[in-house]
Amino acid sequence: AQRVTQPEKLLSVFKGAPVELKCNYSYSGSPELFWYVQYSRQRLQLLLRHISRESIKGFTADLNKGETSFHLKKPFAQEEDSAMYYCALHRLNKFYFGSGTKLNVKP
Amino acid sequence: NAGVTQTPKFRVLKTGQSMTLLCAQDMNHEYMYWYRQDPGMGLRLIHYSVGEGTTAKGEVPDGYNVSRLKKQNFLLGLESAAPSQTSVYFCASRPSGGQGEQFFGPGTRLTVL
């Protein structure tokens, strides 16, 4: 069965500090992985996808098949990054979401 | 272009009552999804549809039914609501052939007493 694990429920960092939100998955094939973000009072929206190898709002995520991880990183956190972050795996038209990590960036 | 809309925004039901949640999208997307969001559990897929007239079960389909009679609408029904169905329900859609991005609705907060 596919599983996505986000071990941290809450992550608090100070503005300007590096941030890493962890995501591990269990899937034996080639995964399609995503990071979604939900800002306060806003809809869930796509942040980035592994296939694009892009950097969005300073965030990057690298797929590590050996460690089955897709951690989200940003070198210098900003207050506006405070939000709920979800890692998701897509397989056969279904999406499997992690339980989410709340990022709190303190001034 | 409203994107994905959900009706209603809030609802309180008594145990045993029935109701239907409506999801509508104006982006001509093939795929549509219904999720529930519970504290500490993230989003769990209830049912989904890969096109007009099709539906399929997700991770947690029990107690729910769905219909996709029109491409733009995806209905989620609760025939006999239970307190365990208290949750926030999200609908999402995505195009076929895209890179997998889903577009989410604003959510419906349902409380079953």
Side-chain angles (χ1 to χ4, degrees):
Chain A
Q2 287 70 233
R3 287 287 183 271
V4 178
T5 304
Q6 293 179 250
E8 304 132 333
K9 288 186 178 179
L10 173 65
L11 189 61
S12 286
V13 301
F14 284 102
K15 177 183 172 181
V19 114
E20 182 180 72
L21 287 80
K22 292 184 168 54
C23 173
N24 288 90
Y25 65 91
S26 61
Y27 174 53
S28 57
S30 294
E32 288 183 56
L33 288 156
F34 304 82
W35 275 99
Y36 279 83
V37 61
Q38 189 172 27
Y39 300 104
S40 179
R41 300 183 187 281
Q42 293 189 28
R43 302 181 185 205
L44 201 63
Q45 58 187 281
L46 179 69
L47 181 61
L48 52 80
R49 66 201 105 195
H50 91 274
I51 196 170
S52 301
R53 295 181 169 269
E54 57 202 342
S55 173
I56 303 293
K57 298 184 179 182
F59 284 98
T60 58
D62 290 321
L63 176 61
N64 186 323
K65 290 187 178 180
E67 294 183 358
T68 58
S69 67
F70 187 54
H71 302 329
L72 183 68
K73 300 177 184 179
K74 185 170 183 175
F76 307 104
Q78 302 300 314
E79 288 180 70
E80 55 265 30
D81 295 329
S82 295
M84 196 75 184
Y85 291 80
Y86 293 96
C87 183
L89 182 151
H90 175 227
R91 168 170 162 70
L92 295 177
N93 297 320
K94 296 181 185 179
F95 286 81
Y96 302 87
F97 282 80
S99 55
T101 298
K102 184 173 183 178
L103 176 63
N104 180 32
V105 181
K106 298 175 283 189
Chain B
N1 191 339
V4 180
T5 58
Q6 291 183 231
T7 309
K9 288 185 170 54
F10 305 93
R11 186 72 185 269
V12 178
L13 289 178
K14 293 182 180 178
T15 297
Q17 288 185 316
S18 63
M19 78 162 294
T20 300
L21 282 68
L22 169 64
C23 175
Q25 52 96 4
D26 60 2
M27 298 174 283
N28 201 35
H29 287 171
E30 291 294 329
Y31 299 90
M32 296 188 75
Y33 301 83
W34 274 109
Y35 295 92
R36 58 178 291 171
Q37 184 184 45
D38 301 295
M41 302 191 74
L43 278 79
R44 291 181 292 167
L45 183 63
I46 304 171
H47 286 281
Y48 65 101
S49 169
V50 300
E52 181 179 312
T54 75
T55 63
K57 294 180 180 180
E59 283 183 275
V60 289
D62 294 342
Y64 304 95
N65 56 74
V66 288
S67 64
R68 183 107 181 262
L69 299 179
K70 294 183 179 180
K71 187 177 184 178
Q72 63 268 36
N73 295 339
F74 195 30
L75 279 64
L76 178 71
L78 286 72
E79 290 187 347
S80 179
S84 60
Q85 294 178 304
T86 294
S87 188
V88 180
Y89 291 85
F90 287 98
C91 176
S93 70
R94 73 176 180 95
S96 61
Q99 291 190 332
E101 178 180 1
Q102 296 179 91
F103 296 81
F104 281 85
T108 295
R109 185 173 294 276
L110 175 67
T111 301
V112 183
L113 302 175

